[in-house]
Amino acid sequence: MTGRLHDKVAVVCGAGQTPGTTIGNGRATALLFAREGAEVLAVDRDEKSLLETCALISESGGTARPLVADITDPSDCAAIARTALDAFGRIDVLHNNIGIGAGDAGALDVTEDAWDRIQSVNLRAPWTVCRQIIPHMRERRTGAIINVSSIAAVCSAPLVAYKVSKAGLNALTHALAMENASFGIRANTIMPGFIDTPMAIEGMASKLGMNQDELRAARDRMVPLNQRQGTAWDVAHAALFLASDEAAFITGALLPVDGGQSARIG
Ligand SMILES: NC(=O)c1ccc[n+]([C@@H]2O[C@H](COP(=O)([O-])OP(=O)(O)OC[C@H]3O[C@@H](n4cnc5c(N)ncnc54)[C@H](O)[C@@H]3O)[C@@H](O)[C@H]2O)c1
């Protein structure tokens, strides 16, 4: 441990993960934040997975509190801020990792229900959490917000509701960065490309009726850098940098973590 988040309190929304053989982006980030000295409020609606994340943090000597919450419920979002403040006394970092894509389709085929569900989880919910936590950060005149978007926001993508939600999240990041700059609060976005997480592999393979190894190989081939997908640790290390004081002069950035996938569009 090098203590890059020493003395910081971090809220990680989506700290559980879809079951699978690899590690998810939110769990890896929660583990890395704790390893670097942060006290972590770990939030997820999946209690079993959330408790696994917290147990992993405890086993490695870190500090984590679990909070089971549905991010689409405004009263649960209020509970996130309240619980973090009750448990740790302040909030320095808010990491919005939660994102879904199930049920998505092309613009003419996606159902209204799927559209609303995806916008609600991927865009409305992080906005709601921010509105609960930013007043506290403003009082302390410090804070770092990290939103996990996707390169789908800026690249051609066949799943329209997901793409639009993530493009909206990028725009929200810009708005948050500008509205809160004079309060010393930074807001940045990570745009992952193909990352080898359970949601992307186990989830998509069963949806597409594909073998997992074939899906992995197909995704690997589409990444310019070494023809290999990233791992959740690549996303977690970008989040660690943006959460830390090393990024003190960085706000409003949209950072691709994608092995060069988005560089194709210039
Ligand atoms: N894996 C990739 O290739 C990839 C690529 C681009 C972007 N992303 C983004 O990275 C993020 C995490 O992806 P992942 O693959 O690690 O997913 P994951 O499924 O492993 O993690 C997401 C977590 O969010 C939780 N969650 C979902 N809905 C919730 C709700 N309403 N309330 C509370 N918790 C809820 C789930 O229980 C899960 O633990 C997402 O925002 C995703 O869009 C992933």
Side-chain angles (χ1 to χ4, degrees):
M1 182 175 115
T2 54
R4 290 164 72 189
L5 298 184
H6 178 63
D7 267 351
K8 292 196 191 295
V9 172
V11 172
V12 178
C13 294
Q17 69 172 70
T18 300
T21 53
T22 54
I23 187 165
N25 293 328
R27 174 173 287 174
T29 301
L31 263 57
L32 188 59
F33 280 8
R35 203 186 297 161
E36 291 294 332
E39 295 175 302
V40 174
L41 181 75
V43 180
D44 206 287
R45 70 175 173 187
D46 180 341
E47 183 173 21
K48 180 170 177 285
S49 184
L50 177 64
L51 294 179
E52 283 168 7
T53 301
C54 290
L56 288 167
I57 290 174
S58 299
E59 282 161 22
S60 59
T63 303
R65 287 277 186 103
L67 178 69
V68 178
D70 181 340
I71 202 81
T72 60
D73 181 340
S75 63
D76 280 12
C77 293
I80 292 171
R82 213 173 41 245
T83 306
L85 293 174
D86 287 351
F88 302 120
R90 64 187 193 283
I91 301 167
D92 299 290
V93 177
L94 169 61
H95 184 73
N96 284 316
N97 166 71
I98 296 170
I100 60 166
D104 204 358
L108 300 188
D109 298 320
V110 65
T111 64
E112 290 178 6
D113 279 354
W115 175 277
D116 288 346
R117 190 172 57 251
I118 291 166
Q119 305 307 328
S120 161
V121 173
N122 294 6
L123 182 54
R124 187 185 168 95
W127 169 63
T128 309
V129 178
C130 283
R131 277 154 55 103
Q132 291 292 336
I133 288 180
I134 286 174
H136 159 74
M137 289 180 165
R138 282 185 173 190
E139 268 176 32
R140 294 184 59 236
R141 304 194 73 80
T142 183
I145 298 166
I146 302 146
N147 293 322
V148 179
S149 158
S150 165
I151 61 164
V154 296
C155 297
S156 123
L159 302 175
V160 71
Y162 183 80
K163 177 181 175 62
V164 170
S165 70
K166 296 298 193 178
L169 192 56
N170 287 0
L172 177 65
T173 301
H174 280 151
L176 292 172
M178 289 301 91
E179 284 179 28
N180 294 288
S182 61
F183 294 93
I185 300 167
R186 301 182 292 106
N188 293 293
T189 281
I190 294 171
M191 296 192 295
F194 283 162
I195 309 293
D196 191 343
T197 68
M199 181 171 74
I201 300 300
E202 277 88 339
M204 287 304 284
S206 71
K207 184 182 169 207
L208 300 171
M210 268 178 94
N211 172 299
Q212 288 179 21
D213 290 339
E214 282 168 11
L215 178 58
R216 271 203 176 87
R219 286 167 65 97
D220 282 347
R221 280 195 297 275
M222 294 168 75
V223 179
L225 188 66
N226 297 323
Q227 287 74 55
R228 185 188 59 76
Q229 290 176 84
T231 73
W233 296 110
D234 295 313
V235 174
H237 278 101
L240 171 62
F241 169 65
L242 292 172
S244 76
D245 294 340
E246 294 154 25
F249 197 51
I250 301 177
T251 195
L254 308 178
L255 176 65
V257 177
D258 67 352
Q261 279 181 276
S262 60
R264 289 201 175 105
I265 59 167

